[in-house]
Amino acid sequence: FSSISDKNNGPNRVTQHDKAVLDLKVQRDKLKQYQKKIILVVDRETEIARQLYRENKKKQALLALKKKKYQENLFEKTQGMLNTVQELIDSIEFSQIELQVIEGLKKGNESLKELHKYMSIEDVEGLMLETEEAIAYQNEIDELLSGKLTAQDENDIEAELSRIEQEMETTQTKTEKEEVKHEGEEEELELEGLPSAPITQLGSPTE
């Protein structure tokens, strides 16, 4: 009779390597799903930052850009982490680095969970509101992002805000010019609609 251990050691036994490959596949699939959604969220955050800036809410506009930058960084970090785990799994020394792979998968899963927290369009819209609940949410996000962005990130955010400011100024100037042109055209049409004054030729004085 074959023992239980013999059955466990049979060809159908799931190894730690198999489990690691499966876990990595699940995480990669999740990341691909998030990739599609994060594009929508980041685009919406950019739009909201522009709208907030137009409404002279520079603090909230800056917060929207910070949140956007953090999401982009977190996505790239998670992707890089899973690439590293893939390399470890593919390594022929897998048995020697098994714990390292497990730890890498654990961190990847934590990053995916954190990324998921910031994927809601509704939360993005909350940056525009001024209710007590919305302000509390904005403060919470500000606190969560504190210390998670590098000096370079902050510089990139300020640069993006400056670009938005320039876009707003350019758009405003263009609009003002178009309004002046439109007013000028209207005045010309009004003048054209007025009746012409009669032209009377004066007779030469009689001698």
Side-chain angles (χ1 to χ4, degrees), residues 46 49-50 53 65 68-69 72 153 155-171:
T46 305
R50 287 196 178 98
Y53 191 86
L65 294 179
K68 171 192 165 188
K69 187 68 175 178
E72 290 173 335
D153 289 336
N155 290 338
D156 291 344
I157 292 164
E158 289 289 347
E160 185 166 5
L161 191 64
S162 296
R163 284 196 297 273
I164 289 174
E165 182 179 4
Q166 290 172 1
E167 285 175 13
M168 296 296 105
E169 289 176 355
T170 302
T171 303

Side-chain angles (χ1 to χ4, degrees), residues 112-165:
L112 286 169
K113 285 180 180 177
E114 189 172 1
L115 190 61
H116 180 70
K117 286 194 300 186
Y118 298 96
M119 299 295 285
S120 169
I121 291 287
E122 289 76 16
D123 288 346
V124 176
E125 304 287 347
L127 295 174
M128 299 182 66
L129 303 177
E130 294 183 352
T131 61
E132 287 186 14
E133 185 179 354
I135 291 170
Y137 168 73
Q138 291 165 21
N139 291 335
E140 180 187 352
I141 291 295
D142 200 21
E143 189 175 339
L144 281 171
L145 295 179
S146 178
K148 292 191 176 181
L149 296 171
T150 65
Q152 183 59 51
D153 289 336
E154 296 285 358
N155 290 338
D156 291 344
I157 292 164
E158 289 289 347
E160 185 166 5
L161 191 64
S162 296
R163 284 196 297 273
I164 289 174
E165 182 179 4

Side-chain angles (χ1 to χ4, degrees), residues 7-18:
K7 290 179 181 179
N8 289 340
N9 290 326
N12 294 326
R13 185 172 67 90
V14 178
T15 65
Q16 287 296 326
H17 185 277
D18 294 334

Side-chain angles (χ1 to χ4, degrees), residues 3-202:
S3 64
I4 293 175
S5 60
D6 289 336
K7 290 179 181 179
N8 289 340
N9 290 326
N12 294 326
R13 185 172 67 90
V14 178
T15 65
Q16 287 296 326
H17 185 277
D18 294 334
K19 284 180 66 179
V21 170
L22 181 61
D23 287 346
L24 180 64
K25 184 179 183 302
V26 169
Q27 289 188 22
R28 281 193 177 280
D29 289 344
K30 279 185 182 179
L31 195 64
K32 284 179 182 177
Q33 292 171 7
Y34 290 163
Q35 187 173 24
K36 295 174 183 176
K37 193 170 182 181
I38 202 171
I39 292 171
L40 297 175
V41 173
V42 164
D43 286 347
R44 183 60 183 143
E45 281 167 341
T46 305
E47 289 174 12
I48 283 176
R50 287 196 178 98
Q51 189 168 339
L52 288 167
Y53 191 86
R54 276 196 297 266
E55 296 171 1
N56 294 320
K57 297 176 182 176
K58 186 175 178 180
K59 183 180 177 182
Q60 288 98 318
L62 203 57
L63 182 58
L65 294 179
K66 282 184 178 181
K67 187 168 178 284
K68 171 192 165 188
K69 187 68 175 178
Y70 177 68
Q71 286 171 306
E72 290 173 335
N73 288 350
L74 186 58
F75 183 85
E76 289 176 10
K77 172 188 168 187
T78 306
Q79 197 167 40
M81 197 180 299
L82 295 185
N83 288 340
T84 300
V85 173
Q86 178 71 67
E87 291 173 5
L88 293 174
I89 288 175
D90 292 342
S91 170
I92 57 174
E93 295 92 7
F94 176 81
S95 59
Q96 298 172 22
I97 56 174
E98 186 176 316
L99 291 177
Q100 193 176 345
V101 171
I102 292 171
E103 184 63 23
L105 287 168
K106 181 182 174 184
K107 286 182 179 178
N109 201 41
E110 288 171 356
S111 289
L112 286 169
K113 285 180 180 177
E114 189 172 1
L115 190 61
H116 180 70
K117 286 194 300 186
Y118 298 96
M119 299 295 285
S120 169
I121 291 287
E122 289 76 16
D123 288 346
V124 176
E125 304 287 347
L127 295 174
M128 299 182 66
L129 303 177
E130 294 183 352
T131 61
E132 287 186 14
E133 185 179 354
I135 291 170
Y137 168 73
Q138 291 165 21
N139 291 335
E140 180 187 352
I141 291 295
D142 200 21
E143 189 175 339
L144 281 171
L145 295 179
S146 178
K148 292 191 176 181
L149 296 171
T150 65
Q152 183 59 51
D153 289 336
E154 296 285 358
N155 290 338
D156 291 344
I157 292 164
E158 289 289 347
E160 185 166 5
L161 191 64
S162 296
R163 284 196 297 273
I164 289 174
E165 182 179 4
Q166 290 172 1
E167 285 175 13
M168 296 296 105
E169 289 176 355
T170 302
T171 303
Q172 185 177 0
T173 302
K174 186 178 178 182
T175 303
E176 288 173 353
K177 285 181 178 178
E178 287 177 352
E179 286 177 354
V180 169
K181 181 182 177 183
H182 184 64
E183 288 173 2
E185 289 173 349
E186 285 184 343
E187 288 177 2
E188 286 179 8
L189 287 172
E190 288 175 2
L191 290 173
E192 287 176 4
L194 292 175
S196 302
I199 301 173
T200 305
Q201 291 184 350
L202 295 177

